[in-house]
Amino acid sequence: MPDTTLVKNESIPIGVITEVHGPVVVITCSQLPALRQALYTRMNHETYLFEVHQHLDEQRLRAITLHRSAGLRRGMPIYDTGAPLHVPVSPACLGRLLNFFGEPLDTGDPLTKKEFRNIHARPVPLNEVVGVGQVLETGIKVIDLLCPFVKGGKTGLFGGAGVGKTVLIMEFMQAVARLHKGVSVFAGVGERIREGHELWREIDRAGVLPQTLMVFGQMDESPGVRFRVGLSALTYAEYLRDTLHKEVLFVMDNIFRFVQAGSEVSSLLERMPATVGYQPTLTTEVAEMQDRILSTRQGAITSVQAVYVPADDMTDPAVSTILSHLDTTVILSRTQAGKGIYPAVDPLQSTSKLMDRHTLGSRHYTVAEGVREHLARYRELEDIITMLGIEELSARDRMVVMRARKLQHYLTQPFRTTASHTGIKGVSVSLERTLKDCETFLQGGYDEVPEDRCYMRGTMQEAGQ
């Protein structure tokens, strides 16, 4: 809601609503307010907020309503808040569940409105930016080994519906709180109410809610809210970085819904669609958000973004645009999930731009490349094995296939967040232990171990080896 201290003159409207087209209203003003200015009107003791998106001519503008549009009508007076959209920030925001406006969705008290931040803040100047740092361990074997996260970097989790993006995100949030003593900001973009409630309760049960801030723009809300909730959550992440000097994990689930909301807003504003029906401003809108996810000397923001892939098509324009901003790409495969491999990470498609000896060190790089080579050779031979049987392979290839299958099983892992559903206790494995186990696999140290002894374990020590 707008802060009354920022309203210029509540008794004098700046214009009136002349057209209502669902969430879009046309407002006629004597003097046009700036683009992205927040406007409001009152009805039945409720405040309706709008954001200016287009100037049509010298007196008319288009604005997106940030509340339900039921009840809006022509002739309603419009007032200026005197500021762009902003949210209240406070050290007490951690442990809270908030909506797009910074208002509580949990049972807690409202945040004290002493300090506000503009959600359209500019990125940090380049001379204050710190580059990506060291590898950020997550305790998840396949991630840490083959597509490691980096402190201050951006990671995308790509996959269709039901392959485990949200489960992985919850595990990352626990890892940051448990292993790195950092805080997490979760942006729920277009979340279903059921999913949001389950996630909130799960994080509370895991004991990491006091180190987590959750900001939700739910699926039933205005496209303007779903379009801007990511920026609202990012504003809180910047506050925790700059003012409280925290190491922040910024999680967005799902950034594709942000793109969808932008497409909806663009259509309502009557812009001509571009490639595959997406908005012509797609590249700019994604870059506007991604370029604010930066680390400074005060603290780091490490980003993990779930990306829904329509029809599992990685060439989709929205997916390609998001992909260009990322440091690490984790591809979740339906084929892997069908084999019972969880997390369903495709080890050959998942990559990191920092996968080199200089960043990872010679040992990590060598082990990771050895694992990839075994898995790649196994994938090449799968069709031959299916048609002719493994007996037709050379002794060398049979050995590679055997080790690759065990490595594939070894890279599965039970999670803490799914323990109540699977009955298997979740585990976290250090990078050092993962490297040691994989080195032993590659050297033939576990050639006598049955495959099922490698499945859904932490370390090979737990498997009795």
Side-chain angles (χ1 to χ4, degrees):
M1 297 293 177
D3 179 34
T4 54
T5 60
L6 294 176
V7 176
K8 290 179 179 178
N9 191 334
E10 191 171 333
S11 62
I12 302 176
I14 64 164
V16 295
I17 296 177
T18 53
E19 296 179 33
V20 180
H21 303 281
V24 172
V25 295
V26 176
I27 300 170
T28 300
C29 306
S30 55
Q31 184 175 357
L32 293 177
L35 292 176
R36 294 185 173 177
Q37 188 83 339
L39 312 177
Y40 72 100
T41 189
R42 296 192 188 280
M43 182 179 66
N44 300 330
H45 307 292
E46 290 188 36
T47 301
Y48 285 65
L49 269 176
F50 307 89
E51 184 181 33
V52 179
H53 275 258
Q54 272 184 348
H55 290 167
L56 298 176
D57 53 37
E58 294 179 352
Q59 292 187 316
R60 295 187 308 145
L61 62 87
R62 275 199 183 105
I64 298 289
T65 177
L66 301 175
H67 296 270
R68 56 186 176 85
S69 55
L72 292 179
R73 62 185 184 278
R74 289 187 296 174
M76 294 182 72
I78 298 296
Y79 303 92
D80 191 352
T81 65
L85 291 168
H86 54 263
V87 291
V89 292
S90 162
C93 64
L94 285 173
R96 301 301 305 274
L97 177 65
L98 307 176
N99 67 7
F100 161 74
F101 304 102
E103 300 167 336
L105 292 174
D106 51 21
T107 56
D109 296 326
L111 297 180
T112 55
K113 296 185 178 181
K114 293 182 179 179
E115 183 181 352
F116 291 85
R117 280 202 169 208
N118 179 4
I119 71 168
H120 296 293
R122 292 183 178 181
V124 175
L126 279 177
N127 62 339
E128 297 179 19
V129 174
V130 176
V132 295
Q134 72 273 18
V135 171
L136 194 70
E137 285 193 38
T138 64
I140 302 171
K141 293 180 288 187
V142 66
I143 299 289
D144 291 343
L145 177 67
L146 299 177
C147 41
F149 287 10
V150 286
K151 184 178 177 182
K154 304 183 186 80
T155 298
L157 303 180
F158 292 80
V163 292
K165 296 187 296 296
T166 304
V167 170
L168 264 180
I169 279 175
M170 291 168 65
E171 202 71 14
F172 295 147
M173 293 169 70
Q174 290 194 39
V176 164
R178 188 179 63 255
L179 301 177
H180 305 286
K181 310 303 179 188
V183 299
S184 299
V185 176
F186 180 89
V189 182
E191 284 284 327
R192 300 174 184 87
I193 293 176
R194 172 187 56 79
E195 290 178 339
H197 183 267
E198 288 176 358
L199 183 64
W200 178 41
R201 293 300 184 193
E202 195 67 46
I203 289 175
D204 190 21
R205 281 195 294 270
V208 296
L209 188 59
Q211 293 83 41
T212 304
L213 165 65
M214 306 182 75
V215 183
F216 280 104
Q218 297 174 41
M219 188 172 279
D220 64 336
E221 296 192 74
S222 159
V225 169
R226 288 180 273 119
F227 187 44
R228 296 302 191 199
V229 67
L231 293 179
S232 179
L234 185 53
T235 303
Y236 281 105
E238 291 171 332
Y239 169 76
L240 293 171
R241 177 196 65 193
D242 299 336
T243 306
L244 302 186
H245 309 303
K246 297 286 189 180
E247 301 294 317
V248 183
L249 176 69
F250 176 65
V251 179
M252 181 178 287
D253 186 11
N254 187 305
I255 192 171
F256 183 78
R257 294 200 192 110
F258 158 75
V259 173
Q260 284 182 311
S263 179
E264 195 172 340
V265 167
S266 183
S267 298
L268 292 166
L269 296 175
E270 299 181 2
R271 295 191 186 119
M272 183 69 70
T275 311
V276 197
Y278 286 110
Q279 61 270 40
T281 51
L282 171 65
T283 304
T284 304
E285 290 165 1
V286 172
E288 181 182 17
M289 175 175 292
Q290 300 287 357
D291 286 353
R292 283 175 58 184
I293 303 174
L294 298 169
S295 299
T296 67
R297 297 178 185 87
Q298 283 73 40
I301 297 180
T302 304
S303 173
V304 176
Q305 304 163 20
V307 187
Y308 170 72
V309 181
D312 294 335
D313 179 15
M314 292 295 293
T315 63
D316 184 87
V319 174
S320 300
T321 302
I322 296 165
L323 190 62
S324 65
H325 291 273
L326 302 176
D327 300 301
T328 300
T329 305
V330 180
I331 308 294
L332 298 175
S333 162
R334 206 172 299 281
T335 302
Q336 292 287 90
K339 294 176 181 177
I341 305 297
Y342 290 102
V345 175
D346 188 316
L348 301 181
Q349 291 192 58
S350 302
T351 59
S352 175
K353 292 179 180 177
L354 301 174
M355 223 28 209
D356 57 61
R357 294 184 188 275
H358 175 73
T359 305
L360 302 181
S362 181
R363 183 191 179 204
H364 185 168
Y365 181 81
T366 301
V367 173
E369 286 302 295
V371 171
R372 282 185 194 276
E373 286 173 11
H374 277 64
L375 294 174
R377 183 59 178 160
Y378 174 42
R379 186 165 294 182
E380 290 174 4
L381 297 170
E382 276 186 315
D383 288 342
I384 296 175
I385 294 170
T386 302
M387 291 185 293
L388 302 177
I390 195 169
E391 295 79 12
E392 298 300 317
L393 301 180
S394 66
R396 168 69 182 169
D397 282 342
R398 282 201 300 271
M399 181 187 68
V400 169
V401 167
M402 176 189 67
R403 291 177 183 174
R405 286 176 62 89
K406 290 177 182 177
L407 281 166
Q408 189 178 57
H409 282 70
Y410 171 74
L411 293 176
T412 62
Q413 186 171 341
F415 287 156
R416 288 177 168 84
T417 51
T418 58
S420 59
H421 304 290
T422 62
I424 305 173
K425 184 181 178 182
V427 295
S428 176
V429 182
S430 69
L431 175 59
E432 174 60 32
R433 189 66 235 186
T434 301
L435 291 176
K436 186 174 181 180
D437 284 346
C438 289
E439 277 179 329
T440 309
F441 273 112
L442 295 174
Q443 293 165 3
Y446 295 134
D447 283 356
E448 304 303 320
V449 178
E451 285 181 16
D452 60 348
R453 296 286 293 277
C454 306
Y455 183 68
M456 281 295 170
R457 307 280 181 176
T459 66
M460 289 306 290
Q461 285 179 326
E462 296 176 15
Q465 301 300 320

mmCIF file of all heavy atoms in Angstrom, residues 13-18 26-34 39 52 54-55 57-63 78-80:
data_model
loop_
_atom_site.group_PDB
_atom_site.id
_atom_site.type_symbol
_atom_site.label_atom_id
_atom_site.label_comp_id
_atom_site.label_asym_id
_atom_site.label_seq_id
_atom_site.Cartn_x
_atom_site.Cartn_y
_atom_site.Cartn_z
ATOM 1 N N PRO A 13 -7.091 15.117 -6.998
ATOM 2 C CA PRO A 13 -6.738 14.050 -7.937
ATOM 3 C C PRO A 13 -5.969 14.608 -9.120
ATOM 4 O O PRO A 13 -6.131 15.783 -9.492
ATOM 5 C CB PRO A 13 -8.095 13.483 -8.356
ATOM 6 C CG PRO A 13 -9.072 14.588 -8.129
ATOM 7 C CD PRO A 13 -8.548 15.383 -6.977
ATOM 8 N N ILE A 14 -5.121 13.747 -9.732
ATOM 9 C CA ILE A 14 -4.374 14.178 -10.910
ATOM 10 C C ILE A 14 -5.096 13.786 -12.189
ATOM 11 O O ILE A 14 -4.705 14.200 -13.278
ATOM 12 C CB ILE A 14 -2.961 13.577 -10.917
ATOM 13 C CG1 ILE A 14 -3.026 12.045 -11.036
ATOM 14 C CG2 ILE A 14 -2.173 13.999 -9.699
ATOM 15 C CD1 ILE A 14 -1.710 11.418 -11.433
ATOM 16 N N GLY A 15 -6.144 12.976 -12.072
ATOM 17 C CA GLY A 15 -6.877 12.552 -13.248
ATOM 18 C C GLY A 15 -8.017 11.623 -12.887
ATOM 19 O O GLY A 15 -8.298 11.392 -11.696
ATOM 20 N N VAL A 16 -8.673 11.076 -13.929
ATOM 21 C CA VAL A 16 -9.782 10.139 -13.712
ATOM 22 C C VAL A 16 -9.628 8.959 -14.666
ATOM 23 O O VAL A 16 -8.998 9.068 -15.731
ATOM 24 C CB VAL A 16 -11.153 10.816 -13.954
ATOM 25 C CG1 VAL A 16 -11.409 11.915 -12.940
ATOM 26 C CG2 VAL A 16 -11.253 11.354 -15.380
ATOM 27 N N ILE A 17 -10.214 7.828 -14.271
ATOM 28 C CA ILE A 17 -10.231 6.654 -15.145
ATOM 29 C C ILE A 17 -11.255 6.884 -16.257
ATOM 30 O O ILE A 17 -12.409 7.218 -15.994
ATOM 31 C CB ILE A 17 -10.598 5.391 -14.343
ATOM 32 C CG1 ILE A 17 -9.523 5.085 -13.299
ATOM 33 C CG2 ILE A 17 -10.768 4.193 -15.281
ATOM 34 C CD1 ILE A 17 -9.859 3.890 -12.407
ATOM 35 N N THR A 18 -10.826 6.710 -17.501
ATOM 36 C CA THR A 18 -11.751 6.874 -18.626
ATOM 37 C C THR A 18 -12.042 5.560 -19.344
ATOM 38 O O THR A 18 -13.043 5.454 -20.052
ATOM 39 C CB THR A 18 -11.176 7.877 -19.651
ATOM 40 O OG1 THR A 18 -9.854 7.470 -20.022
ATOM 41 C CG2 THR A 18 -11.129 9.279 -19.054
ATOM 42 N N VAL A 26 -7.130 3.131 -18.642
ATOM 43 C CA VAL A 26 -6.687 4.357 -19.311
ATOM 44 C C VAL A 26 -7.101 5.512 -18.423
ATOM 45 O O VAL A 26 -8.254 5.615 -18.001
ATOM 46 C CB VAL A 26 -7.313 4.495 -20.710
ATOM 47 C CG1 VAL A 26 -6.923 5.819 -21.356
ATOM 48 C CG2 VAL A 26 -6.884 3.336 -21.601
ATOM 49 N N ILE A 27 -6.148 6.376 -18.105
ATOM 50 C CA ILE A 27 -6.369 7.492 -17.183
ATOM 51 C C ILE A 27 -6.117 8.786 -17.940
ATOM 52 O O ILE A 27 -5.109 8.930 -18.640
ATOM 53 C CB ILE A 27 -5.425 7.396 -15.972
ATOM 54 C CG1 ILE A 27 -5.668 6.082 -15.214
ATOM 55 C CG2 ILE A 27 -5.587 8.590 -15.041
ATOM 56 C CD1 ILE A 27 -4.636 5.780 -14.150
ATOM 57 N N THR A 28 -7.040 9.721 -17.822
ATOM 58 C CA THR A 28 -6.872 11.043 -18.405
ATOM 59 C C THR A 28 -6.400 12.001 -17.317
ATOM 60 O O THR A 28 -7.030 12.100 -16.255
ATOM 61 C CB THR A 28 -8.200 11.551 -19.007
ATOM 62 O OG1 THR A 28 -8.623 10.639 -20.036
ATOM 63 C CG2 THR A 28 -8.028 12.936 -19.602
ATOM 64 N N CYS A 29 -5.282 12.676 -17.563
ATOM 65 C CA CYS A 29 -4.656 13.541 -16.557
ATOM 66 C C CYS A 29 -4.438 14.938 -17.133
ATOM 67 O O CYS A 29 -4.266 15.118 -18.340
ATOM 68 C CB CYS A 29 -3.296 12.983 -16.131
ATOM 69 S SG CYS A 29 -3.312 11.292 -15.565
ATOM 70 N N SER A 30 -4.409 15.905 -16.243
ATOM 71 C CA SER A 30 -4.050 17.255 -16.664
ATOM 72 C C SER A 30 -2.549 17.356 -16.914
ATOM 73 O O SER A 30 -2.095 18.107 -17.769
ATOM 74 C CB SER A 30 -4.479 18.266 -15.598
ATOM 75 O OG SER A 30 -3.928 17.911 -14.333
ATOM 76 N N GLN A 31 -1.764 16.612 -16.146
ATOM 77 C CA GLN A 31 -0.318 16.554 -16.329
ATOM 78 C C GLN A 31 0.131 15.115 -16.144
ATOM 79 O O GLN A 31 -0.122 14.515 -15.100
ATOM 80 C CB GLN A 31 0.388 17.468 -15.326
ATOM 81 C CG GLN A 31 1.885 17.526 -15.532
ATOM 82 C CD GLN A 31 2.558 18.534 -14.614
ATOM 83 O OE1 GLN A 31 1.877 19.237 -13.864
ATOM 84 N NE2 GLN A 31 3.869 18.593 -14.668
ATOM 85 N N LEU A 32 0.809 14.559 -17.143
ATOM 86 C CA LEU A 32 1.157 13.146 -17.101
ATOM 87 C C LEU A 32 2.254 12.870 -16.069
ATOM 88 O O LEU A 32 3.296 13.532 -16.077
ATOM 89 C CB LEU A 32 1.647 12.676 -18.477
ATOM 90 C CG LEU A 32 0.607 12.663 -19.603
ATOM 91 C CD1 LEU A 32 1.275 12.245 -20.906
ATOM 92 C CD2 LEU A 32 -0.525 11.711 -19.279
ATOM 93 N N PRO A 33 2.031 11.883 -15.173
ATOM 94 C CA PRO A 33 3.112 11.459 -14.270
ATOM 95 C C PRO A 33 4.152 10.646 -15.032
ATOM 96 O O PRO A 33 3.912 10.188 -16.149
ATOM 97 C CB PRO A 33 2.390 10.591 -13.241
ATOM 98 C CG PRO A 33 1.186 10.075 -13.957
ATOM 99 C CD PRO A 33 0.791 11.134 -14.937
ATOM 100 N N ALA A 34 5.308 10.463 -14.443
ATOM 101 C CA ALA A 34 6.406 9.750 -15.103
ATOM 102 C C ALA A 34 6.062 8.277 -15.268
ATOM 103 O O ALA A 34 5.238 7.715 -14.536
ATOM 104 C CB ALA A 34 7.682 9.893 -14.273
ATOM 105 N N LEU A 39 0.401 5.161 -8.882
ATOM 106 C CA LEU A 39 -0.825 5.930 -8.684
ATOM 107 C C LEU A 39 -1.790 5.097 -7.861
ATOM 108 O O LEU A 39 -1.610 3.881 -7.706
ATOM 109 C CB LEU A 39 -1.460 6.288 -10.031
ATOM 110 C CG LEU A 39 -0.541 6.875 -11.101
ATOM 111 C CD1 LEU A 39 -1.316 7.106 -12.390
ATOM 112 C CD2 LEU A 39 0.091 8.168 -10.622
ATOM 113 N N VAL A 52 2.233 3.197 -13.912
ATOM 114 C CA VAL A 52 2.173 3.809 -15.240
ATOM 115 C C VAL A 52 3.094 3.040 -16.188
ATOM 116 O O VAL A 52 4.278 2.864 -15.900
ATOM 117 C CB VAL A 52 2.587 5.290 -15.182
ATOM 118 C CG1 VAL A 52 2.552 5.899 -16.580
ATOM 119 C CG2 VAL A 52 1.679 6.065 -14.232
ATOM 120 N N GLN A 54 2.456 3.342 -20.041
ATOM 121 C CA GLN A 54 2.477 3.954 -21.371
ATOM 122 C C GLN A 54 1.865 5.344 -21.319
ATOM 123 O O GLN A 54 0.888 5.585 -20.600
ATOM 124 C CB GLN A 54 1.642 3.123 -22.360
ATOM 125 C CG GLN A 54 2.372 2.016 -23.070
ATOM 126 C CD GLN A 54 1.474 1.335 -24.098
ATOM 127 O OE1 GLN A 54 0.253 1.544 -24.122
ATOM 128 N NE2 GLN A 54 2.053 0.525 -24.958
ATOM 129 N N HIS A 55 2.456 6.270 -22.101
ATOM 130 C CA HIS A 55 1.833 7.569 -22.368
ATOM 131 C C HIS A 55 1.224 7.498 -23.762
ATOM 132 O O HIS A 55 1.950 7.278 -24.747
ATOM 133 C CB HIS A 55 2.864 8.690 -22.303
ATOM 134 C CG HIS A 55 3.359 8.971 -20.915
ATOM 135 N ND1 HIS A 55 4.448 9.748 -20.645
ATOM 136 C CD2 HIS A 55 2.890 8.578 -19.700
ATOM 137 C CE1 HIS A 55 4.645 9.825 -19.336
ATOM 138 N NE2 HIS A 55 3.702 9.117 -18.740
ATOM 139 N N ASP A 57 -0.958 9.925 -25.267
ATOM 140 C CA ASP A 57 -0.881 11.246 -25.889
ATOM 141 C C ASP A 57 -0.588 12.255 -24.787
ATOM 142 O O ASP A 57 -0.097 11.881 -23.706
ATOM 143 C CB ASP A 57 -2.169 11.583 -26.673
ATOM 144 C CG ASP A 57 -3.432 11.422 -25.826
ATOM 145 O OD1 ASP A 57 -3.381 11.750 -24.615
ATOM 146 O OD2 ASP A 57 -4.458 10.969 -26.358
ATOM 147 N N GLU A 58 -0.893 13.503 -25.004
ATOM 148 C CA GLU A 58 -0.533 14.536 -24.042
ATOM 149 C C GLU A 58 -1.335 14.466 -22.750
ATOM 150 O O GLU A 58 -0.941 15.054 -21.737
ATOM 151 C CB GLU A 58 -0.732 15.930 -24.674
ATOM 152 C CG GLU A 58 0.219 16.190 -25.834
ATOM 153 C CD GLU A 58 -0.016 17.544 -26.458
ATOM 154 O OE1 GLU A 58 -1.008 18.203 -26.079
ATOM 155 O OE2 GLU A 58 0.783 17.943 -27.319
ATOM 156 N N GLN A 59 -2.453 13.761 -22.762
ATOM 157 C CA GLN A 59 -3.291 13.734 -21.570
ATOM 158 C C GLN A 59 -3.688 12.331 -21.110
ATOM 159 O O GLN A 59 -4.234 12.191 -20.024
ATOM 160 C CB GLN A 59 -4.577 14.546 -21.813
ATOM 161 C CG GLN A 59 -4.342 16.040 -21.947
ATOM 162 C CD GLN A 59 -5.653 16.803 -22.004
ATOM 163 O OE1 GLN A 59 -6.584 16.382 -22.710
ATOM 164 N NE2 GLN A 59 -5.743 17.908 -21.274
ATOM 165 N N ARG A 60 -3.419 11.318 -21.891
ATOM 166 C CA ARG A 60 -3.876 9.971 -21.529
ATOM 167 C C ARG A 60 -2.688 9.031 -21.334
ATOM 168 O O ARG A 60 -1.685 9.118 -22.035
ATOM 169 C CB ARG A 60 -4.806 9.415 -22.608
ATOM 170 C CG ARG A 60 -6.114 10.178 -22.773
ATOM 171 C CD ARG A 60 -7.039 9.462 -23.734
ATOM 172 N NE ARG A 60 -6.349 9.171 -24.994
ATOM 173 C CZ ARG A 60 -6.547 8.076 -25.728
ATOM 174 N NH1 ARG A 60 -7.403 7.150 -25.323
ATOM 175 N NH2 ARG A 60 -5.897 7.901 -26.863
ATOM 176 N N LEU A 61 -2.867 8.121 -20.401
ATOM 177 C CA LEU A 61 -1.837 7.108 -20.139
ATOM 178 C C LEU A 61 -2.501 5.765 -19.870
ATOM 179 O O LEU A 61 -3.686 5.701 -19.517
ATOM 180 C CB LEU A 61 -0.962 7.525 -18.946
ATOM 181 C CG LEU A 61 -1.631 7.698 -17.574
ATOM 182 C CD1 LEU A 61 -1.705 6.374 -16.797
ATOM 183 C CD2 LEU A 61 -0.875 8.721 -16.742
ATOM 184 N N ARG A 62 -1.725 4.708 -20.052
ATOM 185 C CA ARG A 62 -2.171 3.366 -19.677
ATOM 186 C C ARG A 62 -1.414 2.939 -18.431
ATOM 187 O O ARG A 62 -0.204 3.131 -18.329
ATOM 188 C CB ARG A 62 -1.897 2.359 -20.802
ATOM 189 C CG ARG A 62 -2.974 2.304 -21.873
ATOM 190 C CD ARG A 62 -2.868 1.005 -22.664
ATOM 191 N NE ARG A 62 -3.833 0.967 -23.743
ATOM 192 C CZ ARG A 62 -3.540 1.150 -25.028
ATOM 193 N NH1 ARG A 62 -2.278 1.386 -25.371
ATOM 194 N NH2 ARG A 62 -4.461 1.097 -25.953
ATOM 195 N N ALA A 63 -2.155 2.356 -17.507
ATOM 196 C CA ALA A 63 -1.545 1.858 -16.272
ATOM 197 C C ALA A 63 -2.056 0.451 -15.996
ATOM 198 O O ALA A 63 -3.164 0.085 -16.392
ATOM 199 C CB ALA A 63 -1.877 2.785 -15.107
ATOM 200 N N ILE A 78 -8.092 9.545 -9.607
ATOM 201 C CA ILE A 78 -6.769 8.932 -9.446
ATOM 202 C C ILE A 78 -5.838 9.924 -8.760
ATOM 203 O O ILE A 78 -5.785 11.108 -9.121
ATOM 204 C CB ILE A 78 -6.182 8.521 -10.811
ATOM 205 C CG1 ILE A 78 -7.066 7.474 -11.486
ATOM 206 C CG2 ILE A 78 -4.768 7.974 -10.642
ATOM 207 C CD1 ILE A 78 -7.158 6.156 -10.757
ATOM 208 N N TYR A 79 -5.097 9.420 -7.782
ATOM 209 C CA TYR A 79 -4.157 10.255 -7.028
ATOM 210 C C TYR A 79 -2.735 9.768 -7.253
ATOM 211 O O TYR A 79 -2.505 8.599 -7.580
ATOM 212 C CB TYR A 79 -4.478 10.211 -5.527
ATOM 213 C CG TYR A 79 -5.893 10.632 -5.210
ATOM 214 C CD1 TYR A 79 -6.917 9.684 -5.126
ATOM 215 C CD2 TYR A 79 -6.216 11.969 -4.996
ATOM 216 C CE1 TYR A 79 -8.223 10.058 -4.839
ATOM 217 C CE2 TYR A 79 -7.516 12.353 -4.704
ATOM 218 C CZ TYR A 79 -8.515 11.398 -4.635
ATOM 219 O OH TYR A 79 -9.798 11.775 -4.356
ATOM 220 N N ASP A 80 -1.778 10.661 -7.046
ATOM 221 C CA ASP A 80 -0.359 10.339 -7.221
ATOM 222 C C ASP A 80 0.259 10.028 -5.861
ATOM 223 O O ASP A 80 0.085 10.797 -4.905
ATOM 224 C CB ASP A 80 0.346 11.540 -7.858
ATOM 225 C CG ASP A 80 1.757 11.201 -8.332
ATOM 226 O OD1 ASP A 80 2.227 10.088 -8.020
ATOM 227 O OD2 ASP A 80 2.365 12.040 -9.013
#
